[in-house]
Amino acid sequence: MSNFISFSGASNRYPSRRSVVYGKNGMVCTSQALAAQAGLDILKKGGNAIDAAIATAVSLTVLEAPSNGIGSDLFALVWYKGKLYGLNGSGPAPLALTREKVLAKLCMDGQAKDNYKDSGEILNLSATPFPDKGWETVNVPAAPASWKALHERFGVAEFGCLFEAAIRYAEEGFPLQPICSRLWKKNVPMVSGLKNEKMYLPMLETFFNNKRLEPGSLVRIPELGKTLRRLAESRCDSFYTGDIAREIIRFSRETGGYLTEEDLQNYKPEWVEPVRLNYRGYDVCEIPPNGHGLVVLMTLNILRQLTFGEKNYPETVHKQLEAMKIGFTDGKMYIADPRYMKANVKYFLSEEYGKKRAKEIGAEARLPRPVDLNCGGTVYLCTSDSEGNMVSLIQSHFKHFGSKLSVPDTGILLNCRAMNFSLDPERDNCLAPGKKPYHTIIPGFLMKDGEPVGPFGVMGAFMQPQGQVQLINNLIDFGLNPQEALDAPRWQWTGGKTVEMEASFDKKIVEDLKQRGHDVKVVEEFTSFGRGQIIVRQPDGVYAAATEPRTDGVVAAW
């Protein structure tokens, strides 16, 4: 096997508290140190990379409760014995949830219907016509079924043991890590004042009463531990057809929800064929729509038509930004549940599309329009094992604390994934019962000449494609090692001509971009710029891995 990515072991271009970590028998990288150790323990007991990924993911539902939970959804890319597999664990809208009901809710809240027809121009990536909490935002939870599906196909460890660490953390308590503490303190005030305590977040009473929420604060969520025990014993079936399902449906009926027995009983995650694009000799692989991994590939398709200068060269950043804006504009316009998409995914991966859109990038910032087709709060983790298996996995509520709905006495927070539907009936992504929405979580995987290079991901809603593109450019175009590639300063397009840039960016680049017409905002707060991890397989079977200082993450190596 050739040396896929050449880099030195030292990190010197972007000063870091961390070094690249090497391991031979297996690795677990994620945003929470205790979760990474939970996965590594499974590897040491004879489990494989898939088992380790599940154990890590289950632990994260406890350790990073603002970002994900049992009521989340999940996407995964799995390299197993010479083949790459994709799992789409996103849930559909409940059969009882309709566009008309959401509009009625908005009108009841004093918001006019006319405000919720999309204009076609992407002016604000995070804008949504939906309520920001409540049952209108809830899709069928998919994470438990996805854990089961992954284990049934690839796992070797006993299923119940994958829950042991998470149960222990929930019942015996765990100390808050520094970045997670920031997320708690930032988001708890937004939800602690909500009315109707029976409906909103009863599981978080312990946290509201703990006014410190400081790093090292010991927290327990015993009701979540009890639920995890039931999931372990039933292989997660109790969530969809058993006692947990009955509690969810009872809560839905009592509080005006839309979830029914039929919604839960009929849910199954989907095995899908990953989509990929060759970028300067490397195959970048993503989950196909309804996920927006396609935005990464569309952006790289445009960038591969262009040439770059040095990484710290203003024109380079300008080209990256303009390509990203185009990719996102087309993605927001056309990506939807594949059963409803009129656009052909192959077109967006074609040379024709890449060249057409690349020609539109000039010297100044612009407001892109969608291409004319007639003319042409989340957690991420990655694992590896001694047999060469690797997993790229991401699960999420979408917004921190999801829908703000908590099923009483279970510790289950429900997602708010339906917020990514459109209410414009002319859009492919318009809300319909049983339909999956445009989806923001995207695990990535890198290959070369048919062989695996490794899993990567950058969590953070609409930052995810932007973080992935910058990570890939750093690795492939600029030759940074994995740690440097994650440490390097980031930008993010937030809509229109507005670009947010980390304070560590060279001031010359900031001023140059302003001269080109970009509305640049330098941001001191770093948690909105994504939290990434990566594992790279070396020629001798040794793994090189990294996680970044924007998170509490750690690389657990064996």
Side-chain angles (χ1 to χ4, degrees):
M1 182 168 54
S2 61
N3 189 357
F4 295 133
I5 296 180
S6 298
F7 55 81
S8 63
S11 179
N12 48 35
R13 279 169 279 193
Y14 296 98
S16 174
R17 301 191 303 269
R18 310 172 190 231
S19 301
V20 177
V21 177
Y22 295 88
K24 183 178 185 298
N25 295 314
M27 309 192 87
V28 181
C29 307
T30 194
S31 55
Q32 218 281 350
L34 300 178
Q37 291 298 324
L40 190 67
D41 286 344
I42 294 297
L43 288 177
K44 290 182 175 182
K45 293 176 182 177
N48 63 17
I50 296 84
D51 298 316
I54 298 169
T56 304
V58 176
S59 294
L60 285 166
T61 67
V62 180
L63 299 170
E64 281 206 25
S67 303
N68 79 123
I70 295 173
S72 289
D73 38 29
L74 180 158
F75 283 4
L77 290 166
V78 180
W79 178 266
Y80 183 76
K81 296 185 177 180
K83 179 176 170 56
L84 187 66
Y85 299 83
L87 181 67
N88 182 325
S90 61
L95 295 174
L97 182 62
T98 65
R99 173 179 177 270
E100 290 71 27
K101 290 177 180 177
V102 175
L103 288 172
K105 170 66 174 177
L106 291 169
C107 289
M108 184 174 67
D109 290 344
Q111 302 180 63
K113 291 183 182 181
D114 293 343
N115 292 338
Y116 299 100
K117 184 176 176 66
D118 297 339
S119 68
E121 184 172 63
I122 309 302
L123 295 178
N124 189 338
L125 285 177
S126 62
T128 174
F130 272 72
D132 61 358
K133 61 183 178 295
W135 282 109
E136 287 73 23
T137 69
V138 179
N139 278 357
V140 178
S146 300
W147 301 334
K148 178 181 178 180
L150 286 166
H151 186 265
E152 284 186 337
R153 189 159 192 174
F154 304 116
V156 297
E158 192 272 320
F159 189 71
C161 77
L162 306 182
F163 289 71
E164 290 176 355
I167 293 169
R168 184 172 65 252
Y169 292 138
E171 294 181 344
E172 299 178 9
F174 63 94
L176 281 181
Q177 303 299 316
I179 303 301
C180 194
S181 168
R182 293 177 67 146
L183 295 177
W184 276 109
K185 288 194 288 186
K186 180 180 179 180
N187 290 282
V188 161
M190 299 179 188
V191 295
S192 60
L194 292 175
K195 298 179 180 179
N196 193 351
E197 293 181 1
K198 180 181 178 182
M199 185 171 176
Y200 292 115
L201 295 174
M203 70 164 282
L204 297 179
E205 183 178 355
T206 300
F207 295 98
F208 298 152
N209 291 336
N210 180 353
K211 303 194 183 299
R212 290 177 61 240
L213 289 173
E214 298 296 335
S217 296
L218 191 66
V219 295
R220 295 173 61 248
I221 317 177
E223 60 269 39
L224 182 54
K226 179 181 177 181
T227 299
L228 290 168
R229 285 186 182 277
R230 290 190 282 175
L231 291 176
E233 293 167 357
S234 70
R235 296 185 60 82
C236 294
D237 290 342
S238 58
F239 190 93
Y240 298 94
T241 59
D243 57 342
I244 298 176
R246 288 190 289 272
E247 292 178 44
I248 294 171
I249 299 308
R250 183 186 304 115
F251 179 54
S252 177
R253 288 172 178 165
E254 291 176 351
T255 56
Y258 303 95
L259 281 176
T260 66
E261 292 91 340
E262 185 179 2
D263 292 317
L264 294 177
Q265 291 172 2
N266 291 341
Y267 179 71
K268 293 288 186 298
E270 297 178 73
W271 291 102
V272 296
E273 184 64 29
V275 289
R276 61 193 71 197
L277 178 88
N278 190 272
Y279 181 74
R280 310 199 199 284
Y282 294 83
D283 285 333
V284 183
C285 307
E286 303 281 351
I287 296 288
N290 56 313
H292 71 171
L294 185 59
V295 171
V296 176
L297 303 187
M298 289 191 289
T299 304
L300 293 175
N301 192 7
I302 297 166
L303 289 174
R304 69 179 179 175
Q305 317 299 327
L306 307 173
T307 57
F308 287 159
E310 295 294 326
K311 174 168 178 54
N312 283 331
Y313 190 55
E315 186 177 355
T316 296
V317 180
H318 170 72
K319 289 176 179 178
Q320 290 175 303
L321 280 167
E322 292 301 290
M324 189 80 249
K325 287 157 64 174
I326 293 170
F328 243 135
T329 299
D330 289 342
K332 287 283 285 182
M333 184 68 176
Y334 298 113
I335 290 175
D337 186 321
R339 297 171 298 169
Y340 295 80
M341 275 182 69
K342 300 182 183 71
N344 190 328
V345 171
K346 291 182 180 178
Y347 170 67
F348 295 117
L349 305 179
S350 69
E351 286 282 335
E352 178 186 359
Y353 170 81
K355 290 180 179 179
K356 174 183 176 64
R357 294 304 247 165
K359 289 179 181 178
E360 300 172 13
I361 296 177
E364 297 182 353
R366 62 190 295 271
L367 284 173
R369 302 286 298 185
V371 67
D372 184 353
L373 293 181
N374 295 320
C375 297
T378 302
V379 294
Y380 174 78
L381 65 96
C382 48
T383 62
S384 62
D385 62 32
S386 60
E387 296 180 350
N389 303 312
M390 291 182 273
V391 179
S392 183
L393 184 151
I394 192 162
Q395 65 185 21
S396 172
H397 292 316
F398 184 41
K399 297 292 185 180
H400 285 121
F401 298 123
S403 62
K404 316 300 185 290
L405 295 170
S406 173
V407 182
D409 303 317
T410 68
I412 298 173
L413 285 167
L414 297 172
N415 68 74
C416 60
R417 188 56 65 179
M419 288 177 66
N420 275 331
F421 278 117
S422 169
L423 291 177
D424 184 346
E426 298 178 7
R427 289 290 186 96
D428 294 353
N429 187 44
C430 184
L431 170 65
K435 182 177 180 179
K436 295 183 177 183
Y438 178 107
H439 214 288
T440 60
I441 62 175
I442 50 172
F445 201 92
L446 203 59
M447 298 177 63
K448 184 175 177 64
D449 301 328
E451 294 291 335
V453 176
F456 65 92
V458 180
M459 66 191 86
F462 292 99
M463 181 62 201
Q464 291 189 40
Q466 305 189 66
Q468 283 199 13
V469 167
Q470 291 172 79
L471 175 60
I472 291 165
N473 288 159
N474 290 343
L475 288 170
I476 297 174
D477 292 284
F478 309 126
L480 304 189
N481 71 44
Q483 190 62 58
E484 289 175 324
L486 288 170
D487 291 345
R490 292 192 187 131
W491 46 260
Q492 62 173 321
W493 177 54
T494 59
K497 293 185 180 182
T498 303
V499 179
E500 293 184 352
M501 304 187 76
E502 289 188 297
S504 53
F505 255 103
D506 189 323
K507 290 182 174 58
K508 293 181 180 179
I509 295 179
V510 172
E511 291 305 314
D512 184 277
L513 292 175
K514 289 180 178 179
Q515 293 299 316
R516 293 173 182 269
H518 297 279
D519 178 14
V520 180
K521 301 182 184 304
V522 177
V523 180
E524 294 287 343
E525 172 59 46
F526 58 84
T527 56
S528 66
F529 288 89
R531 298 182 292 155
Q533 287 86 35
I534 183 173
I535 297 175
V536 173
R537 191 181 183 194
Q538 299 296 283
D540 54 2
V542 170
Y543 296 105
T547 183
E548 62 179 69
R550 298 176 187 87
T551 185
D552 295 316
V554 69
V555 179
W558 183 33

